[in-house]
Amino acid sequence: MPELPEVETIARGLDRRVAGDTVESVWIGSRKQPLKSPAGVIAATLEGKRIVRVSRAGKHIVFDLERAARVTTSSQTKKDKRSGRSQPRQAAFLHQSDAHAQWIVHLGMTGRIVVCEPAAEVAKHTHLIAKLASGRELRFIDPRMFGKLSVHAGGFDPGGVEPLEVTEERFIALFRGRKTPIKSALQNQKLLRGVGNIYADESLFRAGIRPRRRAAAITREQLGKLHRAVREVLREAIALGGSSISNYVDADGEEGFFQLQHRVYGREGEPCLVCRTAIRRVVLAGRSSHYCSKCQN
Ligand SMILES: [Zn+2]
């Protein structure tokens, strides 16, 4: 499942490829599961829109859209020529409520989004194809349909705070009085956006905190360490992901990413890279957690 660094990498790759391009038409398959907004609304919102930028909010990919200028120019240019006031008209147009919109893609477990030539074979489980003015296509594919597509008028807010932007004070305050294990709190999307199982384990290892510790019982100093660890882990993973994204977006998605060398995640029984103690695995809220019993307490 893509976590924050992967989604960030995908969003950056998409931004490089499709920002400035315009959606000419949209095909949506008959499966309703991936759609959080009705198919007709998604198609109507995307068609004729220019993709201003693609970014990440939590684990969501956000396409900022604005109505493509050329859709409205034919009638407008004439008027503008007569009045000689093209600038004010343009400004007025941009304030119309439907001139801007957002397309939100959540990849879920198995979703992927590819930019390809129209001749490329349409993969099984393709749920949406957007034809772009450049001649390319943007396709959303998801075999298991945990991914979700929706459109918003603007200001999409997935809740929680961005782990890469949150200040230390705010970060510490998130966990105050929480009786849940710190690992569960780290993954609570209402608190922090986008930290999943792998990066939670890796961050806790670097901060020297065991995953089952009660969040409320952790000292400010340790939470400060954790704040730095979370950001460090995510930044390193994003830096690594940047070099593999072109493969991921281009091809059929099987390449995967360069991964951060995990220090604990998935290393049960293997020696800790710091102290050689065997890494332990415990199950917490149905998910595996990995830690070193000597380096973390
Ligand atoms: Zn250790």
Side-chain angles (χ1 to χ4, degrees):
M1 177 161 185
E3 292 200 25
L4 185 151
E6 287 80 21
V7 179
E8 175 74 29
T9 305
I10 293 166
R12 287 182 187 182
L14 286 167
D15 186 65
R16 266 206 311 276
R17 274 146 202 272
V18 303
D21 213 333
T22 298
V23 179
E24 289 195 326
S25 62
V26 174
W27 170 89
I28 297 175
S30 55
R31 305 299 292 263
K32 293 215 165 36
Q33 291 90 327
L35 308 178
K36 273 178 86 186
S37 305
V41 175
I42 293 178
T45 305
L46 264 58
E47 285 175 356
K49 292 285 199 320
R50 194 173 77 88
I51 300 166
V52 179
R53 82 188 260 263
V54 187
S55 59
R56 175 191 61 78
K59 289 191 205 174
H60 299 80
I61 299 169
V62 180
F63 290 78
D64 282 310
L65 308 169
E66 72 178 13
R67 195 184 295 157
R70 60 200 195 91
V71 175
T72 55
T73 41
S74 52
S75 61
Q76 233 176 313
T77 4
K78 279 180 206 159
K79 283 178 196 162
D80 288 343
K81 269 180 192 158
R82 248 179 303 166
S83 65
R85 290 186 300 130
S86 67
Q87 285 307 89
R89 283 199 61 83
Q90 185 75 8
F93 166 71
L94 290 176
H95 283 103
Q96 278 177 21
S97 59
D98 63 343
H100 289 91
Q102 289 176 316
W103 178 31
I104 314 297
V105 178
H106 191 284
L107 296 173
M109 307 276 283
T110 53
R112 62 187 201 269
I113 198 157
V114 298
V115 181
C116 59
E117 296 301 320
E121 193 185 338
V122 176
K124 223 175 160 183
H125 311 294
T126 297
H127 303 292
L128 179 145
I129 300 175
K131 282 189 177 299
L132 303 175
S134 61
R136 296 169 304 165
E137 292 183 352
L138 199 54
R139 299 178 184 174
F140 174 72
I141 304 147
D142 188 1
R144 291 177 66 189
M145 291 187 292
F146 290 124
K148 294 279 176 279
L149 305 176
S150 63
V151 288
H152 292 255
F156 171 72
D157 179 7
V161 294
E162 272 297 329
L164 290 174
E165 290 164 15
V166 65
T167 62
E168 186 173 327
E169 272 314 301
R170 181 87 195 276
F171 183 88
I172 291 170
L174 291 177
F175 304 105
R176 197 171 289 149
R178 298 215 165 248
K179 296 191 173 68
T180 53
I182 183 64
K183 170 137 184 224
S184 309
L186 265 184
Q187 290 181 258
N188 181 343
Q189 301 295 305
K190 287 180 187 133
L191 303 178
L192 279 183
R193 298 175 178 171
V195 178
N197 203 38
I198 298 172
Y199 297 107
D201 275 4
E202 293 298 312
S203 303
L204 287 166
F205 174 74
R206 293 193 191 191
I209 302 168
R210 288 196 190 188
R212 278 190 291 198
R213 285 273 300 282
R214 271 200 311 147
I218 298 171
T219 64
R220 285 182 59 88
E221 195 197 335
Q222 280 182 306
L223 285 174
K225 259 189 171 174
L226 183 58
H227 175 245
R228 288 187 290 281
V230 166
R231 291 149 54 100
E232 189 184 280
V233 163
L234 293 176
R235 288 216 178 95
E236 283 176 22
I238 290 169
L240 285 172
S243 47
S244 63
I245 187 59
S246 54
N247 288 338
Y248 189 86
V249 177
D250 261 344
D252 42 18
E254 301 302 322
E255 282 85 4
F257 299 91
F258 275 120
Q259 276 188 326
L260 198 67
Q261 196 206 348
H262 299 147
R263 298 186 190 174
V264 283
Y265 184 83
R267 297 192 64 243
E268 183 187 8
E270 291 175 41
C272 170
L273 299 174
V274 174
C275 72
R276 316 298 297 165
T277 303
I279 298 297
R280 289 192 188 174
R281 185 178 75 95
V282 289
V283 175
L284 204 69
R287 307 284 305 272
S288 287
S289 291
H290 308 79
Y291 69 98
C292 170
S293 58
K294 195 169 169 199
C295 295
Q296 292 167 261
N297 47 52

